[in-house]
């Protein structure tokens, strides 16, 4: 990592460090940059510019688009406003990570606030957790007088914890969307689309994920639907998995259905 002011010509800079010892695929870095651009535009309605990238442990140095032009360096207002936008995004990232890091296993996901969604940092956390790596997010605003701030510094164990919690939050969020979609004003189409998305995720996990990874998704979904007073989505999901030949996933799902509600007793007169 270099001192940003040596090469940035005084522009406010967002610095993201992916602190891994093994290489990250170039295509994955490209997808990360696309997600960063999307998240930043959603936050500030403007773009990021990749100013520099270092390899090894990957360091990304990003500028607000308005500060990229050469004349921007001499415009204090432009630098200040660009720095504010970078800091706003950095604080959003900080809040996103802090929320996921603060979730404890003993608290059901249905009782949690789902918090923000940031595709870029969901991707970062997921990939780095698999590599047993950490990451940092830094804002360098020395050019406008606020100095360098480390907003996020995650060691490998913390990254793994956050990755696990983000899986739980994602599953719970999907479950909530599906249940809210039962509202006639939203419609069956939205409910079905969200359910199919959840089912697709489970099908995709089945070939490579461990049982604990599968349980993270199912447990979060089960806790949420039970909180809404229904278990029918669990029954439907188990049947769908069986129809697809995913019998192990179906078995795990049925563990979360109360025994007396797994079967309907038939009577004859």
């Amino acid at each position: 990592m270099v001192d940003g002011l040596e090469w940035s010509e005084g522009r406010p800079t967002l610095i993201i460090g992916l602190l891994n010892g093994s290489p990250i695929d170039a295509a994955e870095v490209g997808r990360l940059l696309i997600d960063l651009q999307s998240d930043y535009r959603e936050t500030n309605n403007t773009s990021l510019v990749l100013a520099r990238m270092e390899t090894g442990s990957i360091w990304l140095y990003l500028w607000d688009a308005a500060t990229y032009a050469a004349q921007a360096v001499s415009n204090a207002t432009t630098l200040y406003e660009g720095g504010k936008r970078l800091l706003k995004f950095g604080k959003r990232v900080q809040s996103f990570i802090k929320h996921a890091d603060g979730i404890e296993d003993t608290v059901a996901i249905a009782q949690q606030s789902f918090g923000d969604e940031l595709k870029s940092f969901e991707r970062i956390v997921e990939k780095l957790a698999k590599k047993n790596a950490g990451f940092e997010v830094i804002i360098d605003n020395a050019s406008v007088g606020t100095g360098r701030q480390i907003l996020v510094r995650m060691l490998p164990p913390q990254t793994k914890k956050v990755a696990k919690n983000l899986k739980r939050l994602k599953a719970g969020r999907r479950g909530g969307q599906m249940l809210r979609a039962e509202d006639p004003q939203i419609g069956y189409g939205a409910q079905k689309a969200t359910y199919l998305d959840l089912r697709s995720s489970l099908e995709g996990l089945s070939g490579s994920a461990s049982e604990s990874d599968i349980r993270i998704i199912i447990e979060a979904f089960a806790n949420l639907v039970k909180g809404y007073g229904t278990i029918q989505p669990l029954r439907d999901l188990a049947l769908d998995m069986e129809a697809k030949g995913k019998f192990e996933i179906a078995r795990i799902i049925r563990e979360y259905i109360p025994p007396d509600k797994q079967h309907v007793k038939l009577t004859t007169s």
Side-chain angles (χ1 to χ4, degrees), residues 176-184 186-192 194:
Q177 289 169 345
M178 189 182 77
L179 290 164
R180 287 192 299 273
E182 293 177 354
D183 186 326
I186 301 174
Y188 175 73
Q191 177 186 357
K192 183 177 180 181
T194 308

Side-chain angles (χ1 to χ4, degrees), residues 37-227:
Q37 181 76 292
S38 175
D39 289 339
Y40 192 78
R41 187 178 296 278
E42 181 184 87
T43 305
N44 290 308
N45 198 31
T46 188
S47 299
L48 280 172
V49 174
L50 177 63
R52 181 187 181 99
M53 182 172 74
E54 297 176 9
T55 58
S57 283
I58 293 178
W59 290 92
L60 303 173
Y61 298 81
L62 303 132
W63 296 337
D64 183 90
T67 68
Y68 177 71
Q71 62 269 28
V73 183
S74 60
N75 188 321
T77 300
T78 298
L79 292 178
Y80 178 74
E81 293 298 328
K84 278 177 56 178
R85 287 190 291 269
L86 286 177
L87 185 58
K88 179 182 177 182
F89 181 68
K91 291 291 187 180
R92 183 182 173 193
V93 173
Q94 185 183 54
S95 177
F96 173 78
I97 297 297
K98 184 177 181 180
H99 177 73
D101 189 37
I103 294 172
E104 299 299 332
D105 289 341
T106 54
V107 180
I109 204 67
Q111 297 173 254
Q112 298 285 346
S113 165
F114 292 145
D116 199 2
E117 291 183 79
L118 277 176
K119 288 184 179 180
S120 53
F121 279 85
E122 288 179 9
R123 184 182 297 279
I124 285 173
V125 169
E126 177 188 357
K127 297 302 176 184
L128 295 185
K130 292 178 180 178
K131 293 177 178 290
N132 193 32
F135 64 97
E136 292 185 3
V137 180
I138 301 167
I139 294 289
D140 189 344
N141 258 343
S143 58
V144 293
T146 57
R148 178 173 288 190
Q149 302 176 58
I150 299 175
L151 299 179
V152 178
R153 175 175 281 166
M154 301 294 289
L155 299 174
Q158 292 172 288
T159 304
K160 287 184 176 180
K161 177 188 175 184
V162 169
K164 178 180 178 181
N165 286 341
L166 285 176
K167 287 181 182 179
R168 295 173 67 207
L169 286 170
K170 193 171 184 178
R173 190 181 292 118
R174 284 172 172 168
Q177 289 169 345
M178 189 182 77
L179 290 164
R180 287 192 299 273
E182 293 177 354
D183 186 326
Q185 293 182 347
I186 301 174
Y188 175 73
Q191 177 186 357
K192 183 177 180 181
T194 308
Y195 181 85
L196 292 176
D197 184 38
L198 177 68
R199 187 180 71 181
S200 177
S201 295
L202 286 172
E203 290 174 351
L205 279 174
S206 62
S208 58
S210 65
E211 180 173 324
S212 63
D213 284 338
I214 296 171
R215 283 185 182 276
I216 285 171
I217 293 179
I218 295 173
E219 181 178 0
F221 182 68
N223 287 338
L224 191 77
V225 297
K226 289 176 183 177

